[in-house]
Amino acid sequence: MLYFIIRNLIKVCLHFYIKRMGWAGLENIPKDKPVLFCSTHSNSFLDALPVASYLGRPVFELARGDAFKKPFWSNILYGFKMLPIFRQQDGDANSLRKNEKTFEDCQELFRQKQFVMIFPEGICKHQKQVLPLKKGAVVMAQRAWREGLPVHVVPVGVYYDSFSKWGKKCDVTFGKAIQVTDFQDIEQKDFAKEFNEKLSENLKNLFPSPHNFEKNPTHWGWIGKILYYAGWLINAPLYLAAWLLAKKFTAKTVFFDSATLGFIVILLPFYYLMLIGLYFVFG
């Protein structure tokens, strides 16, 4: 229940923060098959929100394992349908062993025909090109296909016209799914290399965006514009507070954009409660 409440709250806040958002390639997402979304990762946790908030069903996202260290935050993240993925480069010597449980959890989700999202570049960086891919997506796809699960690996390009300005534009493009039938032998020695080369090539066709924002066939339209400009009229003090907090804690990092939106999501309910209170006191 909490997940759906937060998802809808984030959806509203995205309208306030992003001026125009569009989607293309929605026909590449199967409705009755398990899906592994493999997304570009140029703007921290903001990259997952356009996918998780707008597909109309839960998307289980793999996130940095170090965010799960404290039980309080771990419970919250699991509640938001996030799963930990650990990296040796973060100084975690037991990363492979810890990831085994996450891979098993994802396997069970695939058996239930669920959607899972991973960032195969393994790092977030403000860039407009696809970085070298790690092996997380390879492991997940290979395990599922070995069991005979019809997992569709859908590449996702999430592209922004800016990483810092308010009122940005965003394109989300879903590429053609990669399936087990695209490979002669998933057990061959060079399968990981072949898989990542195919996935990388597909991502490069989506990122940078081939739609240039205005040409995307599916977008918010005039309703989105109304919400965006109405937000500026009503929420200006809230926006200033969120921007200042994000600047204080995350300025000049890849987290600034996401932190700004995050503070909006956190502060929005309190801000409207304050407005309602002021109305009853002075109205």
Side-chain angles (χ1 to χ4, degrees):
M1 182 65 178
L2 178 62
Y3 171 80
F4 292 101
I5 293 174
I6 296 298
R7 187 180 72 174
N8 288 320
L9 176 60
I10 290 174
K11 189 173 181 179
V12 171
C13 292
L14 281 173
H15 278 287
F16 292 153
Y17 190 56
I18 297 178
K19 186 176 182 179
R20 185 229 180 249
M21 183 177 292
W23 296 264
L26 293 168
E27 68 279 2
N28 293 321
I29 305 173
K31 302 297 189 295
D32 59 345
K33 299 289 192 301
V35 175
L36 174 60
F37 291 108
C38 293
S39 175
T40 57
H41 199 21
S42 60
N43 207 5
S44 189
F45 75 81
L46 188 63
D47 296 326
L49 300 183
V51 177
S53 299
Y54 281 86
L55 286 184
R57 57 178 292 180
V59 178
F60 293 81
E61 176 197 347
L62 272 65
R64 286 180 53 169
D66 54 359
F68 291 75
K69 287 184 177 180
K70 295 184 178 180
F72 174 78
W73 291 111
S74 178
N75 291 331
I76 291 178
L77 293 173
Y78 276 116
F80 291 163
K81 302 192 183 302
M82 300 176 75
L83 301 171
I85 190 77
F86 299 90
R87 307 181 302 177
Q88 287 182 324
Q89 64 207 61
D90 295 327
D92 195 323
N94 298 317
S95 59
L96 296 179
R97 180 178 57 82
K98 292 179 179 178
N99 286 338
E100 184 64 28
K101 182 181 184 306
T102 295
F103 291 143
E104 290 178 359
D105 291 340
C106 290
Q107 189 82 339
E108 180 59 33
L109 290 171
F110 290 144
R111 295 186 188 109
Q112 300 171 15
K113 299 182 179 181
Q114 297 289 347
F115 288 177
V116 178
M117 186 173 187
I118 189 173
F119 300 103
E121 294 164 309
I123 188 173
C124 175
K125 183 179 180 181
H126 287 338
Q127 91 285 351
K128 296 186 178 181
Q129 61 183 2
V130 178
L131 302 176
L133 306 185
K134 308 299 183 182
K135 293 184 178 180
V138 178
V139 173
M140 295 169 68
Q142 189 177 43
R143 285 189 175 204
W145 291 338
R146 280 173 175 166
E147 191 177 317
L149 299 174
V151 169
H152 285 50
V153 180
V154 177
V156 186
V158 184
Y159 188 70
Y160 309 87
D161 67 336
S162 169
F163 294 117
S164 58
K165 78 175 184 180
W166 210 291
K168 62 175 52 61
K169 298 176 183 179
C170 176
D171 266 347
V172 181
T173 310
F174 300 94
K176 185 177 179 180
I178 298 172
Q179 303 179 55
V180 66
T181 53
D182 294 325
F183 304 93
Q184 289 187 351
D185 182 5
I186 65 171
E187 300 296 344
Q188 66 175 321
K189 180 179 179 181
D190 294 332
F191 171 73
K193 179 181 178 182
E194 183 182 359
F195 179 95
N196 272 348
E197 286 178 349
K198 185 181 291 290
L199 176 57
S200 180
E201 185 62 30
N202 287 3
L203 287 171
K204 288 176 182 178
N205 291 332
L206 310 177
F207 187 84
S209 171
H211 300 285
N212 298 318
F213 306 106
E214 299 303 333
K215 299 178 183 179
N216 212 330
T218 304
H219 58 87
W220 279 342
W222 61 271
I223 294 178
K225 292 182 179 179
I226 289 176
L227 285 173
Y228 175 76
Y229 289 110
W232 270 107
L233 291 174
I234 301 172
N235 302 328
L238 169 66
Y239 292 170
L240 178 61
W243 183 80
L244 290 173
L245 285 169
K247 185 177 180 181
K248 178 180 179 180
F249 292 106
T250 63
K252 297 182 180 180
T253 73
V254 295
F255 303 106
F256 174 76
D257 218 14
S258 298
T260 304
L261 179 63
F263 282 121
I264 293 174
V265 173
I266 293 171
L267 296 175
L268 186 71
F270 301 101
Y271 178 73
Y272 277 91
L273 285 174
M274 182 188 71
L275 292 181
I276 293 171
L278 291 174
Y279 171 79
F280 281 108
V281 172
F282 300 104

